[in-house]
Amino acid sequence: MKLLMALVAMAIAAHPTVASSQTVAVELTQTVGASTESVAAAATQIRAFGEVAGGVRFMGEGAWAARSSSGTDAFGAAYPYANRAQVIEAYGERTFQPGPFLVGIRGGRYRTPFGISSASDHAYDGFFRAPLIRYDNYYALSNNFLEHGADVIVGVPRLTLEVSAGTPSDVGAASRRSGLDTVVRGQGVIGALIVGMSYIRTTPYEDEYYAKGRAVFTGVDLRFMRGGVQVRGEWISGRPFDGTTTTGGYADLIVHRPSMGPITAVMRAEHLAYEVGSPYQLYGTRYTGGARIRVLGRLTAAVDVIHQSGALPQRHSTTVDVGVTYSVRSH
């Protein structure tokens, strides 16, 4: 809480300076929610981002989040609900354009750049839960994976190659062991379609006693948007450690047409398969339908109806998650 209060105080103190600049912004977001899994949750997030001297951009993000019960993945889309304030991201970056080429350099603490990975892709878009293939302890990747290192992007605007090298700096329950890890990602843009391929070689987050070797995953992702309709998804396959296999993915449909007014409809279908031999294998299928509603100004609400089957640890096969978010941004 001391860290959180310090971040809030910093944001308040920075307000006069931020207001006089068009290149720096501070954003404070408060969310409260509840699930029919008998779970209540609350979270506060503060972000500061913008441009400083010499064209260098920075981003800093801190969060505090807590929920009333463990053993659930409710409200775990973008940061962990560990009941303590944590620095999520803190990095600087610079982009160069030598001729027709694009070169970007990033250094610090940033989200693992595998697939659809940014916080804005998974938080405050109408989904309260991370995809199964991206949730802590489901033997794949995690939206709470962070890198402490350097990231380089090279290419042309419609075709880029990204390479990240660093050490794990995770904030969730699935915290990888120390060691060098690398991520390689290629991305191409064809009209309204974005297609990416990613590869990661990293350390397992399970106990070294039985989790031998390296965690290695390959993924394919795509995003398409036209006329207020967005389709996106990922398929990921690999091993969390030697002798195991995890495969799975998800497909999202997000619809916001002018005739829908303040409502954005969201739908998701997903599957996860962790294979290691009975009785430890994990199979799950989940379907989500919901909506995000802009209530008034900076106040938004969302509701998700979730049906799942398989050997997932949640208490009920069908649950309802609801939440309200209030955001304030200062430029």
Side-chain angles (χ1 to χ4, degrees):
M1 287 302 294
K2 290 182 179 179
L3 175 59
L4 179 64
M5 294 305 296
L7 288 169
V8 173
M10 180 179 68
I12 294 173
H15 183 276
T17 302
V18 171
S20 63
S21 172
Q22 298 300 312
T23 59
V24 178
V26 176
E27 184 177 72
L28 181 65
T29 301
Q30 176 67 53
T31 300
V32 295
S35 171
T36 55
E37 285 188 6
S38 299
V39 177
T44 300
Q45 181 191 53
I46 183 169
R47 302 171 68 234
F49 51 94
E51 185 174 318
V52 293
V56 177
R57 295 185 299 274
F58 75 94
M59 209 285 280
E61 176 188 341
W64 168 87
R67 56 189 169 203
S68 61
S69 177
S70 59
T72 176
D73 59 8
F75 305 103
Y79 40 78
Y81 280 65
N83 196 23
R84 65 177 183 271
Q86 300 179 84
V87 175
I88 308 299
E89 293 187 86
Y91 63 81
E93 61 183 0
R94 175 74 188 274
T95 300
F96 304 89
Q97 289 186 291
F101 299 102
L102 174 71
V103 178
I105 301 174
R106 174 184 297 179
R109 178 185 174 98
Y110 50 88
R111 293 181 184 269
T112 302
F114 184 105
I116 301 175
S117 59
S118 72
S120 60
D121 286 320
H122 294 282
Y124 314 121
D125 58 4
F127 295 109
F128 288 115
R129 306 190 185 210
L132 294 173
I133 200 73
R134 284 185 164 275
Y135 182 75
D136 288 357
N137 293 324
Y138 284 174
Y139 304 101
L141 304 178
S142 169
N143 276 347
N144 295 321
F145 280 179
L146 296 168
E147 307 298 325
H148 198 169
D151 180 90
V152 177
I153 299 176
V154 295
V156 294
R158 289 186 172 271
L159 183 63
T160 58
L161 177 67
E162 181 174 7
V163 178
S164 169
T167 59
S169 187
D170 308 327
V171 293
S175 183
R176 292 169 292 170
R177 304 196 298 260
S178 61
L180 177 66
D181 62 304
T182 55
V183 184
V184 179
R185 172 174 170 77
Q187 178 174 289
V189 180
I190 306 172
L193 177 66
I194 302 173
V195 179
M197 294 189 66
S198 303
Y199 172 86
I200 183 171
R201 183 176 178 85
T202 185
T203 53
Y205 57 78
E206 295 84 0
D207 194 301
E208 191 174 6
Y209 176 76
Y210 65 91
K212 307 294 185 181
R214 303 279 285 176
V216 180
F217 286 94
T218 302
V220 178
D221 61 89
L222 63 85
R223 282 167 285 185
F224 178 85
M225 176 177 282
R226 178 170 293 170
V229 178
Q230 180 182 175
V231 179
R232 69 181 187 187
E234 293 184 89
W235 184 262
I236 299 172
S237 179
R239 67 173 189 266
F241 50 91
D242 289 352
T244 63
T245 302
T246 304
T247 58
Y250 64 94
D252 291 346
L253 177 64
I254 303 172
V255 182
H256 181 78
R257 301 283 294 170
S259 60
M260 298 170 68
I263 299 174
T264 300
V266 298
M267 287 169 276
R268 171 176 288 167
E270 51 186 321
H271 176 72
L272 173 74
Y274 165 66
E275 298 176 314
V276 67
S278 180
Y280 302 107
Q281 68 268 12
L282 174 65
Y283 298 96
T285 301
R286 175 182 288 173
Y287 301 94
T288 302
R292 182 177 183 269
I293 306 164
R294 182 171 295 279
V295 180
L296 182 65
R298 302 182 180 97
L299 182 66
T300 61
V303 57
D304 287 340
V305 179
I306 302 157
H307 179 76
Q308 60 194 20
S309 60
L312 297 173
Q314 280 64 47
R315 303 179 182 93
H316 310 294
S317 60
T318 301
T319 59
V320 179
D321 298 344
V322 296
V324 177
T325 298
Y326 186 79
S327 299
V328 178
R329 176 178 290 190
S330 174
H331 293 277

